[in-house]
Amino acid sequence: MASGMRALVLTCVLLAPWLAAGSRGDVRPAAGRRLGGFGANDFKWTRARRALPSADEADNSPIPAGGDAADLPTCLLCVCLTRSVYCEEVSPDMTAVPTLPKETAYLYARFNKIKKINTRDFADIVTLKRIDLTGNLISEIEDGAFAKLPLLEELSLADNRLVKLPALPAKLMSFNANNNLLKTKGVKATAFKKLAGLVNLYLADNEIEAVPQIPEKVRTLHLQNNNITDVNINTFCRSNDTYYLRPSLSEVRLDGNPVVLSKYPDSFTCMTVLPIGRYR
């Protein structure tokens, strides 16, 4: 009996400091040990939340009735992650390109109501590599809007209301203008001639009457569902060079056009694959 009492007293003496510390909320992991499991996540999250400056906390105040997206800071209106800005289906309606952080490399502003692109919209954002403006109401782009973006490699203007293409930056590798209102007079024959690195060119579902000059490195060319009525030997090949080959051009779509491709058998001799389209 006496030995049992001694064990109980000894246990209480050993636990007393821990119980006192717990009552003060000072429990910490032992030195040299790492928190694991759910406790570790809760511990880290609590510390992070306490350390968060009040200025960085979400502002849940309501947007005034009839407010415009232009009245709000970009990274409150959109999602800003490192060098990417996501402004998709913004409410209230986004009718113009928002002011972007200086280091932005990737802009996704799809499915909004942007109507016009001005030269000043991207004038100071020389770090841009990709711009996606799919699904807006863009009918006008000022000529210098993209010309001074030396790193721009991908540009999508699909599903808009364009009747004319702007000048494009020289480093562009992928360009998408599907489903606009483009005609040949709005797409210069030499519009893509200087784009030596262009790999993917999408101009489907427009009103284009002739195939523009296609750069050497293009692999994918989509011109389906336009008003193209003919092609010739110089469209893809060269009439003055019977040895000329275009092995990189691996996918050409001309389906949905009035042109009957079988009438121009010499027009595809330099290609490794025949275009998809109407042959009879």
Side-chain angles (χ1 to χ4, degrees):
M1 179 71 178
S3 62
M5 288 295 295
R6 283 198 298 273
L8 178 61
V9 170
L10 181 60
T11 301
C12 291
V13 169
L14 292 173
L15 290 177
W18 287 93
L19 294 172
S23 67
R24 294 194 304 269
D26 292 331
V27 178
R28 291 178 173 83
R33 295 181 61 187
R34 297 177 62 188
L35 287 170
F38 294 106
N41 292 334
D42 293 342
F43 183 76
K44 292 175 183 175
W45 168 242
T46 302
R47 290 185 61 191
R49 185 172 54 187
R50 282 203 300 266
L52 186 68
S54 58
D56 289 343
E57 292 178 354
D59 181 1
N60 296 319
S61 57
I63 297 169
D68 189 271
D71 299 331
L72 297 172
T74 299
C75 291
L76 176 61
L77 192 67
C78 308
V79 176
C80 299
L81 297 173
T82 58
R83 300 177 68 195
S84 300
V85 178
Y86 299 85
C87 304
E88 302 189 351
E89 298 184 277
V90 171
S91 179
D93 291 344
M94 177 181 285
T95 57
V97 175
T99 302
L100 300 173
K102 293 288 185 182
E103 299 298 318
T104 302
Y106 306 96
L107 170 64
Y108 303 89
R110 298 178 289 198
F111 313 117
N112 290 295
K113 295 185 179 178
I114 299 171
K115 298 176 181 178
K116 181 180 179 180
I117 306 298
N118 299 297
T119 53
R120 66 177 180 272
D121 290 335
F122 304 115
D124 300 322
I125 318 296
V126 295
T127 51
L128 278 164
K129 294 183 178 181
R130 179 184 301 157
I131 298 174
D132 192 342
L133 295 167
T134 299
N136 280 277
L137 304 175
I138 301 168
S139 59
E140 183 182 352
I141 300 176
E142 293 184 358
D143 251 347
F146 305 115
K148 295 182 179 180
L149 298 177
L151 302 180
L152 192 66
E153 296 179 345
E154 298 180 45
L155 175 61
S156 179
L157 301 171
D159 303 320
N160 278 284
R161 300 179 179 179
L162 291 172
V163 295
K164 178 185 176 184
L165 290 184
L168 299 171
K171 274 201 168 184
L172 209 60
M173 296 178 66
S174 181
F175 179 65
N176 189 341
N178 284 347
N179 196 25
N180 276 275
L181 303 173
L182 295 169
K183 296 184 178 182
T184 295
K185 65 180 180 181
V187 182
K188 295 179 181 178
T190 57
F192 310 106
K193 185 178 180 180
K194 294 182 179 180
L195 306 185
L198 192 66
V199 174
N200 301 310
L201 179 56
Y202 304 103
L203 296 170
D205 298 290
N206 282 284
E207 300 173 24
I208 298 169
E209 298 95 349
V211 179
Q213 291 183 27
I214 309 300
E216 290 292 323
K217 290 187 178 180
V218 170
R219 298 176 190 168
T220 305
L221 174 62
H222 285 189
L223 283 163
Q224 67 268 29
N225 303 322
N226 277 284
N227 292 327
I228 298 169
T229 55
D230 66 357
V231 292
N232 59 62
I233 193 169
N234 290 308
T235 301
F236 301 108
C237 304
R238 295 177 182 172
S239 58
N240 60 352
D241 186 354
T242 56
Y243 296 99
Y244 175 69
L245 296 174
R246 294 196 73 156
S248 60
L249 195 56
S250 57
E251 182 181 330
V252 179
R253 290 195 58 181
L254 289 168
D255 45 311
N257 283 279
V259 61
V260 179
L261 299 177
S262 58
K263 292 182 178 179
Y264 310 94
D266 296 333
S267 298
F268 316 116
T269 54
C270 64
M271 299 166 59
T272 57
V273 295
L274 288 173
I276 298 170
R278 181 183 171 197
Y279 283 87
R280 62 178 183 179

